[in-house]
Amino acid sequence: MKTVLLVIDMQVVFTSMTHECLPNILKLDAHFKAHSLPRFFTQHGHTKEELTPPLRNQLVKRWGPAGSIAKGSNDWELMPNIAKAAKDCPIIGKNTYDAFINTNLTDLLKDHAVERIVVCGVMTDCCVDTTARSAFNRGFETWLVKDASGTATKKQHESGLVGFGYAFGDVLKTTEALEKLGHEGTD
């Protein structure tokens, strides 16, 4: 089954949430790269227009312009290890929790004949969970890798995992995902 790794929003602004998950994301990335499997990365940010009243973007309304990520800012940049990993990979710019909305993600997945998406990154209970649910709703088998995802608190992390695992797809550790992928070969 053709599988893609989708790494969500591993940006400087979220560094404090990634200490435990970053090494596992890099392990997953190394596996996908070694097996010539596609790897996609997302990068969340808002234009100057979206950050200027009247506010039309719901995330900017929710968090306010000061609590939102401005495109081109230091906070918006991918973390250095992720930027290195993402070199020569598609980076999907997005401005909402769901990486499918207002992006070319669906087209990229179709172009690569993807059937399964392995999702990781930040924040577990916002962009990761929302994108993973959206992938499921679009007909993709979807795995959420729990130790390769992070968020603000343990309670939020666990809540996102429980909700996704109940109705949408498998919630796996990095070792479990790699083992399952290893038994399948490279596609």
Side-chain angles (χ1 to χ4, degrees), residues 1-185:
M1 178 177 291
K2 186 72 173 267
T3 305
V4 66
L5 177 65
L6 182 59
V7 180
I8 305 291
D9 300 348
M10 290 294 290
Q11 295 165 248
V12 170
V13 69
F14 298 119
T15 299
S16 66
M17 300 178 193
T18 66
H19 298 298
E20 293 179 23
C21 68
L22 179 59
N24 291 318
I25 292 170
L26 295 174
K27 284 178 193 173
L28 289 165
D29 179 70
H31 174 87
F32 276 74
K33 185 175 183 178
H35 291 91
S36 300
L37 294 170
R39 301 168 295 134
F40 301 162
F41 296 79
T42 69
Q43 188 172 23
H44 187 95
H46 300 281
T47 64
K48 184 176 180 179
E49 293 76 25
E50 289 174 325
L51 297 171
T52 305
L55 303 176
R56 290 177 174 41
N57 181 286
Q58 290 301 312
L59 262 79
V60 177
K61 283 183 179 181
R62 169 80 173 117
W63 300 106
S68 299
I69 306 166
K71 281 186 179 180
S73 68
N74 184 60
D75 284 346
W76 173 80
E77 296 294 332
L78 294 175
M79 297 169 53
N81 287 346
I82 296 298
K84 183 177 176 184
K87 187 179 180 191
D88 302 322
C89 293
I91 299 174
I92 297 104
K94 64 185 196 57
N95 67 352
T96 189
Y97 297 135
D98 188 336
F100 286 91
I101 295 177
N102 302 323
T103 73
N104 66 338
L105 180 56
T106 299
D107 292 336
L108 287 169
L109 295 168
K110 287 180 182 178
D111 290 348
H112 286 82
V114 169
E115 298 172 80
R116 177 191 300 132
I117 303 174
V118 176
V119 184
C120 61
V122 294
M123 297 174 61
T124 308
D125 53 320
C126 291
C127 296
V128 172
D129 173 69
T130 300
T131 298
R133 288 176 183 228
S134 191
F136 170 87
N137 287 330
R138 285 169 167 75
F140 297 98
E141 180 180 320
T142 309
W143 299 352
L144 199 160
V145 186
K146 62 184 171 183
D147 59 355
S149 298
T151 196
T153 69
K154 184 177 180 178
K155 182 178 179 181
Q156 283 176 246
H157 181 69
E158 291 173 355
S159 177
L161 297 173
V162 168
F164 179 81
Y166 177 74
F168 297 94
D170 292 341
V171 176
L172 305 168
K173 292 181 181 178
T174 299
T175 53
E176 294 169 329
L178 291 173
E179 184 177 327
K180 286 177 83 167
L181 290 167
H183 288 299
E184 294 180 2

